């Protein structure tokens, strides 16, 4: 294994910045931009799902909700008549398409080094 130099670290940082931070939604017919949230928040969500404090589906909804600023819009919540648990707006937006919601959440999790197979084990 080669010795890492400062140039290698800079190059790695540049590659990470170029990571795709969008999801192509079939349900909505377009691209949804998302942003990174604090890694400890991601771990909290996964741990809650793992402990049974929330379902894996709710964990996916919450992760997407926190990662996409436009989904936290008060007007959007009002339009979909979401009063409790604002992250449930994701289910309404994606018409309860579990496959697309799961695929979107898995894509977000790749930013944190998770792969879909490993995440399923953690959620269980």
């Amino acid at each position: 294994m080669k010795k890492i130099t400062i140039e290698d670290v800079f190059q790695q940082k540049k590659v990470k910045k170029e990571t795709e931070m969008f999801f192509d939604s079939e349900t909505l017919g377009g691209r949804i931009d998302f942003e990174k949230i604090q890694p400890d928040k991601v771990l909290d969500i996964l741990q809650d799902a793992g402990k049974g404090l929330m379902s894996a589906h709710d964990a996916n909804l919450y992760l997407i909700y926190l990662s996409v600023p436009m989904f936290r819009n008060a007007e959007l919540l009002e339009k979909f008549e979401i009063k409790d648990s604002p992250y449930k707006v994701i289910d309404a937006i994606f018409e309860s398409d579990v496959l697309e919601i799961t695929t979107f959440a898995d894509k977000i999790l790749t930013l944190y080094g998770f792969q879909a197979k490993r995440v399923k084990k953690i959620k269980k």
Side-chain angles (χ1 to χ4, degrees):
M1 195 176 280
K2 90 173 202 168
K3 182 178 178 182
I4 300 297
T5 65
I6 192 73
E7 289 80 19
D8 295 328
V9 173
F10 290 145
Q11 183 61 32
Q12 182 64 20
K13 180 74 172 169
K14 182 179 175 186
V15 169
K16 286 195 182 260
K17 279 191 172 190
E18 295 169 1
T19 302
E20 292 181 355
M21 294 193 47
F22 64 87
F23 177 74
D24 290 318
S25 170
E26 289 182 28
T27 301
L28 299 178
R31 182 176 117 172
I32 302 168
D33 292 329
F34 59 88
E35 61 188 25
K36 253 184 141 173
I37 60 174
Q38 292 297 317
D40 60 329
K41 190 65 183 166
V42 173
L43 292 174
D44 287 346
I45 293 167
L46 294 175
Q47 287 174 348
D48 285 351
K51 292 176 184 174
L53 300 175
M54 70 171 40
S55 69
H57 182 67
D58 279 353
N60 288 337
L61 297 176
Y62 193 45
L63 178 65
I64 294 168
Y65 176 77
L66 293 177
S67 300
V68 182
M70 77 171 171
F71 290 158
R72 296 190 305 270
N73 179 290
E75 190 176 331
L76 185 68
L77 296 172
E78 187 177 312
K79 177 77 173 169
F80 282 98
E81 300 177 359
I82 305 294
K83 305 221 186 303
D84 297 326
S85 304
Y87 67 89
K88 299 267 184 178
V89 74
I90 305 306
D91 227 4
I93 291 168
F94 286 96
E95 302 167 356
S96 298
D97 185 334
V98 175
L99 180 60
E100 185 161 9
I101 290 166
T102 302
T103 303
F104 191 178
D106 286 348
K107 179 155 187 184
I108 293 169
L109 287 170
T110 62
L111 294 176
Y112 304 91
F114 289 98
Q115 297 167 350
K117 290 179 185 174
R118 288 175 41 201
V119 171
K120 287 177 186 168
K121 285 182 183 177
I122 291 171
K123 287 181 183 177
K124 288 182 182 180

